[in-house]
C-alpha cells in the first residue's frame, strides 16, 4: 500500500513540477533559484499530506495553494540582509520567446508587493476565479478584487505603452 502511495505521489510530482515552477518563477519575478526552492518546499509538504490522507480531493489545487502560501511566508520572514537584485539570473537567457518583453514584465511584477503579485499570478496566469484566489490566499473576495484592481493599475502605470511597443 505504501508503494502505491509513493508511486501515485511520484506521478503527480512529475506531472505538476513544470507548472509549479512556471508559477513560482512569476511569483519570484524570474528568480529561478528561489522558484526551485519554493517548488521543492511545496512538493515536500505535498508528500507529507499525501501520506496522511487516503487521497487529496484536488491535489493540483492544493499544491498551488501550498506554493502561494510558501511564497508569502518567505516574503514575511525575509531577513533584512537579503536585498532584491535589479538583474535577472542567467537561467532565463535560454528561454524561448521575446526576451525584452519577458524582462520588462518580470521587472514590473517585481515592483509589486508580494500579496499583489500573488493575486496577479493566480488570477491572470493561473486563470483562477476570485473565489478560488480568495480561498488560496485566505482573504475575502472583496480583498482579491481590490488587490487585483490596484495591482493592475500599478502595472499599467509602470509599463505605460512600453509593453505594446515590445510586443509589436
Amino acid at each position: 500500500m505504501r508503494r502505491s502511495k509513493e508511486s501515485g505521489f511520484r506521478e503527480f510530482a512529475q506531472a505538476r513540477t513544470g507548472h509549479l515552477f512556471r508559477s513560482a518563477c512569476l511569483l519570484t519575478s524570474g528568480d529561478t533559484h528561489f522558484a526551485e526552492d519554493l517548488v521543492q518546499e511545496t512538493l515536500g509538504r505535498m508528500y507529507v499530506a499525501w501520506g496522511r490522507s487516503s487521497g487529496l480531493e484536488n491535489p493540483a489545487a492544493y499544491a498551488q495553494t501550498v506554493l502561494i502560501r510558501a511564497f508569502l511566508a518567505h516574503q514575511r520572514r525575509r531577513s533584512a540582509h537579503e536585498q532584491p537584485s535589479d538583474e535577472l539570473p542567467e537561467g532565463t537567457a535560454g528561454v524561448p520567446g521575446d526576451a525584452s518583453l519577458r524582462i520588462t514584465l518580470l521587472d514590473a511584477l517585481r515592483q509589486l508587493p508580494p500579496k499583489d503579485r500573488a493575486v496577479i499570478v493566480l488570477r491572470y496566469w493561473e486563470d483562477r476565479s476570485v473565489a478560488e484566489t480568495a480561498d488560496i490566499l485566505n482573504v475575502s473576495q472583496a480583498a482579491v478584487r481590490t488587490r487585483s484592481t490596484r495591482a493592475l493599475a500599478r502595472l499599467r502605470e509602470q509599463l505605460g505603452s512600453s509593453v505594446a511597443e515590445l510586443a509589436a
Side-chain angles (χ1 to χ4, degrees), residues 108 111-113 116 119-120 124 145-161:
Q111 302 300 318
L112 294 176
D116 289 353
V119 167
I120 293 298
Y124 301 104
R145 285 190 292 273
T146 300
R147 281 192 178 277
S148 178
T149 301
R150 289 180 184 165
L152 288 173
R154 285 186 194 140
L155 287 174
R156 285 184 191 106
E157 181 181 301
Q158 289 175 10
L159 297 172
S161 63

Side-chain angles (χ1 to χ4, degrees), residues 9 11-12 15 18 28 33 60-61 82 91 97-98 100 115 118 128 134 141 153:
F9 176 76
E11 289 174 18
F12 167 80
T28 62
H33 300 291
E82 294 179 281
D98 188 355
S100 298
K115 284 189 178 181
R128 301 290 179 126
Q141 291 184 28

Side-chain angles (χ1 to χ4, degrees), residues 119-140:
V119 167
I120 293 298
V121 169
L122 286 170
R123 291 281 294 129
Y124 301 104
W125 173 259
E126 293 291 326
D127 199 27
R128 301 290 179 126
S129 69
V130 171
E132 289 173 322
T133 303
D135 187 45
I136 290 170
L137 296 174
N138 203 23
V139 296
S140 70

Side-chain angles (χ1 to χ4, degrees), residues 20-21 24-25 28 31-40 67:
L20 289 170
F21 180 72
C25 281
T28 62
D31 184 345
T32 57
H33 300 291
F34 181 29
E36 289 170 352
D37 291 344
L38 285 174
V39 171
Q40 184 67 31
L67 177 73

Side-chain angles (χ1 to χ4, degrees), residues 44-113:
R45 290 182 185 181
M46 287 294 298
Y47 183 76
V48 171
W50 205 277
R52 270 192 264 151
S53 66
S54 60
L56 296 169
E57 213 173 286
N58 186 346
Y62 183 71
Q64 196 65 35
T65 300
V66 170
L67 177 73
I68 296 290
R69 290 185 180 168
F71 167 73
L72 292 174
H74 182 273
Q75 294 298 9
R76 281 191 296 270
R77 68 177 178 258
R78 188 171 71 190
S79 62
H81 71 274
E82 294 179 281
Q83 297 296 320
S85 171
D86 287 344
E87 298 179 24
L88 291 174
E90 299 128 18
T92 59
V95 180
D98 188 355
S100 298
L101 178 60
R102 178 172 283 115
I103 290 170
T104 301
L105 291 173
L106 289 174
D107 284 341
L109 276 173
R110 184 181 297 122
Q111 302 300 318
L112 294 176

